[in-house]
């Protein structure tokens, strides 16, 4: 029995592989969910918006009076990337 492993990313990957494989395994590292949990725990309000339509996301943020977060590699803009989080406040005790 020959087995081949294919790796793809996101919804486009599912579409690319769904008719080519018998079994499709989806691995979610939960980085977005973790980032949202930490941000909300620090007092942020998150308004989720589907990735992919920057103009619609900007309009939704403007309508909500919100600051639009950027992809992790977008420089100094607001991001939910864990690498860009500020340090945690000191523990009280």
């Amino acid at each position: 029995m020959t087995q081949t492993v294919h790796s793809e990313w996101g919804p486009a990957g599912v579409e690319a592989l769904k008719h080519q494989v018998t079994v499709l395994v989806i691995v979610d590292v939960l980085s977005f969910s973790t980032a949202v949990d930490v941000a909300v725990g620090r007092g942020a309000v998150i308004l989720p918006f589907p990735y992919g339509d920057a103009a619609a996301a900007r309009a939704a943020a403007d309508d909500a009076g919100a600051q639009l977060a950027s992809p992790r590699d977008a420089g100094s803009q607001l991001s939910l990337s864990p690498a860009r989080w500020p340090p945690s406040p000191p523990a009280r005790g």
Side-chain angles (χ1 to χ4, degrees):
M1 172 188 249
T2 301
Q3 296 178 356
T4 303
V5 175
H6 299 274
S7 280
E8 294 292 341
W9 184 262
V14 172
E15 287 300 314
L17 293 176
K18 71 181 182 182
H19 297 297
Q20 300 177 28
V21 298
T22 303
V23 176
L24 181 63
V25 177
I26 298 173
V27 177
D28 185 348
V29 296
L30 300 176
S31 64
F32 177 76
S33 299
T34 300
V36 168
D37 182 59
V38 171
V40 169
R42 292 182 178 185
V45 175
I46 306 294
L47 305 172
F49 195 86
Y51 184 75
D53 187 343
R58 167 59 54 210
D62 290 346
D63 287 348
Q67 185 176 358
L68 185 61
S70 299
R72 355 185 129 186
D73 57 355
S76 62
Q77 299 169 341
L78 178 65
S79 171
L80 289 176
S81 168
R84 305 262 307 279
W85 294 343
S88 296
R92 294 183 185 177

